[in-house]
Structures are given as structure tokens and as C-alpha cells.
Amino acid sequence: MTTVAVTVPLPGGGTDPLVAAGFDIVQLPGRGPAALADAAGWADALVTQLTDRIDASVLDAAGPRLRVVANVAAGYDNLDLARAASLGITSCNTPGVLDETTAELAFALALMARRRTSDAERTLRTGGWSGWSIDGFLGHDLAGATLGVVGWGQIGRALARRAEAFDMAVIHTSRTPTGEPGYRASLDDLLGASDVVSLHVPLTDQTHHLIGAPQLAAMRPTAVLVNTARGPVVDEAALADALHAGTIFGAGLDVYEDEPGVHPRLLDAPGAVLLPHIGSATVATRTAMARAACTAVVDVLAGRSTPAAISPPPTPRSTNP
């Protein structure tokens, strides 16, 4: 019997591809390194979450049956791709499934940060609102503003479509020239020309702290930074300093460097809109992500190719995303 270990309960219908294939689905009782390493020793496949560290210690415990690790996420920085590939284990993610949903949230964060909606709601809920005033909670328009997209993948493009519907100009940068209108070769050039900067790059050694104090200083004082990618792409301490100092107007964050922890100075930073990593959190999208990961497992175990495969490891990225 083919056995698939699943680290957390998946949304209803998420495991349907495994059920249809007649696989035995085992829900792990725990998610720590010991439980993951144990499962690697007897399972044919692991279906994991972005919070599961599938590192060398887990993979080195793999038995001869383990052939695929499928991550229910678009990102894969929790997977040791090189070690998995060296052991003949295919790593998979869920490309293309959550693009529109994550772009929606990125746009919501941009709108909230530009219009100070979190500050306004917090003031109202805590009894601090004394009524309408002509200078109350003044923010900045999105219409007529410039969106700078860092990382021109499917999520960044989906965000651009939404921005254009709001009469925003869109520019972008990427690790390689796109040849498309709005391309900027320099990250600093994009930062200085944007009213909203939205990050859509994977977490790699090259993108760790891609946005730090020098980059924040290059932004407009009326600009906002949006991050729905991975937390460590931004230096949280530097961002907190920039918000408290008024270097930039605001920030909309859905991801953090040390989740579930958040830098304490971000919690009370002016202009900060903070959400608890809900970029893909809709019923339809989370279900589709689970089904995509499980479909990838079925394909790999059947010897078929799958667009979800991300091994062997990708080429190292340059410092310009």
C-alpha cells in the first residue's frame, strides 16, 4: 500500500487526489523534527506546510520508499532542495494556484497603508474618535500613484492588473530584463520612483534583507512598502526605524522574519498595517493548494512529470531580483 504522510489536516476535499489513487493517508500526530524524520523513514510521500522544516536532518532519515515531498505553498524556503535532489527525492510546491488571491491581499495592504485605515479603525474602536475633522487621518490616493513591483512573476503581474484598474502607473524590476513596458533595471531606481513598493520575490540567500535601511532611505517619504512574499526579505528592525522616523509613510505586512513573532517596534509603528500571514487564506484557494500538492504526489509516484516539481535546485539568484 502506498502511504502518504500529511503533517496537518487539509481543507475538505484537499486529499481527494490521494483518495482517488487508493493511497493510505496518515495524519501525523506531531510536527516536530522527530515526527517528520520518523515519517520520512516509512512514507512514500510527505505533504507538508511552509512551517515544516524539511532539512537535511529529516531527509537523511528517509527510507528507500520516500520519493516526493509536496509543500502546500508557493514558497519552498523550508525545503532543502539540494539535499532532497541528491537523495532522488522530488520536491514540489503549488505554482499558479494562489496568484490572484495573494495579489488581492497585497492590493488591500497597499490601500490600507496609503489611506491609514488601520489607524482610523483602531482609534474608533478604542473610543478615541471625536468626530469628523478636515485634517483627520489624512492619507494618500492610489489613483495617479506609481506602483513598483519587485519580482515580475505571476503574483506581481496579477497585482499590476489591479493597480492599473485604479489608474495607477506600474513599473517593475526582476532578476533578468523582461523587455516589457515599465521595466527598471535598478532596484534603487524603482524605489525612488514608486509610491507603493510591493515585494514578490522568493526567499533566497540573495533576497534575504533585500530591503534594509539603505533601500528604505531611497524611497519617497510618502511611499508605502508592501510585503506578502517572505518576512526575511525585509529587515524588520530597519523598517521599524524608518516608520518611527517618518522615512516612509507606511507599510503593509503579511509576513515576518520570525513568525509568529513580530518585531516589537513594528507593533506600535505609525503607518504599519499588520496581518497574520493570510495572503492565500480563502476557502477556494487553500483547498486548491492542497489538491495541487496531492496531485503532484500522485503524478510523481506514478512516474509522470509534474509542473509542481522544483528539483533539482534552481539556479542561484543575483542580488537584483
Side-chain angles (χ1 to χ4, degrees):
M1 172 71 74
T2 299
T3 304
V4 179
V6 180
T7 61
V8 299
L10 298 176
T15 59
D16 283 357
L18 303 179
V19 174
F23 294 169
D24 183 28
I25 303 169
V26 177
Q27 178 68 60
L28 296 187
R31 298 178 64 194
L36 292 169
D38 178 68
W42 49 258
D44 296 280
L46 299 178
V47 177
T48 60
Q49 310 294 304
L50 61 87
T51 49
D52 297 320
R53 298 301 309 175
I54 310 300
D55 55 18
S57 67
V58 172
L59 293 167
D60 286 348
R65 293 173 56 179
L66 185 64
R67 292 174 54 195
V68 56
V69 176
N71 214 32
V72 185
Y76 44 82
D77 48 281
N78 60 311
L79 308 180
D80 187 335
L81 301 180
R83 188 59 183 146
S86 73
L87 295 169
I89 298 168
T90 300
S91 301
C92 298
N93 66 341
T94 58
V97 177
L98 48 73
D99 300 344
E100 301 296 331
T101 304
T102 304
E104 283 183 357
L105 192 81
F107 193 81
L109 285 168
L111 183 58
M112 293 167 72
R114 288 283 285 182
R115 293 296 305 273
R116 296 186 59 191
T117 61
S118 287
D119 291 343
E121 183 185 23
R122 183 164 48 248
T123 299
L124 184 148
R125 286 183 179 275
T126 56
W129 186 48
S130 58
W132 185 90
S133 63
I134 198 166
D135 61 350
F137 304 107
L138 295 181
H140 298 283
D141 295 317
L142 283 183
T146 297
L147 168 68
V149 179
V150 181
W152 198 232
Q154 294 304 311
I155 298 175
R157 293 168 188 263
L159 176 62
R161 293 194 296 271
R162 287 156 175 79
E164 289 167 350
F166 267 63
D167 294 325
M168 297 182 73
V170 179
I171 59 178
H172 66 276
T173 190
S174 180
R175 67 180 184 271
T176 56
T178 65
E180 298 181 32
Y183 173 72
R184 301 293 179 98
S186 164
L187 175 61
D188 284 345
D189 181 27
L190 177 138
L191 294 174
S194 300
D195 300 295
V196 176
V197 174
S198 192
L199 306 176
H200 301 282
V201 295
L203 176 61
T204 67
D205 290 343
Q206 290 72 37
T207 61
H208 183 269
H209 283 189
L210 179 71
I211 304 296
Q215 291 74 34
L216 292 163
M219 292 174 64
R220 297 173 175 178
T222 55
V224 302
L225 177 71
V226 174
N227 188 13
T228 56
R230 285 291 184 265
V233 172
V234 176
D235 181 339
E236 282 187 13
L239 176 58
D241 288 343
L243 290 170
H244 281 282
T247 304
I248 63 173
F249 182 73
L253 305 178
D254 186 47
V255 289
Y256 306 91
E257 285 197 71
D258 189 26
E259 296 181 9
V262 180
H263 194 287
R265 294 192 70 236
L266 278 178
L267 294 173
D268 64 354
V273 179
L274 309 176
L275 297 178
H277 204 147
I278 60 171
S280 62
T282 70
V283 173
T285 295
R286 290 280 172 86
T287 302
M289 291 167 64
R291 289 179 60 87
C294 291
T295 298
V297 166
V298 174
D299 287 340
V300 172
L301 294 182
R304 296 189 293 266
S305 62
T306 170
I310 49 176
S311 58
T315 302
R317 299 178 182 275
S318 67
T319 55
N320 191 26

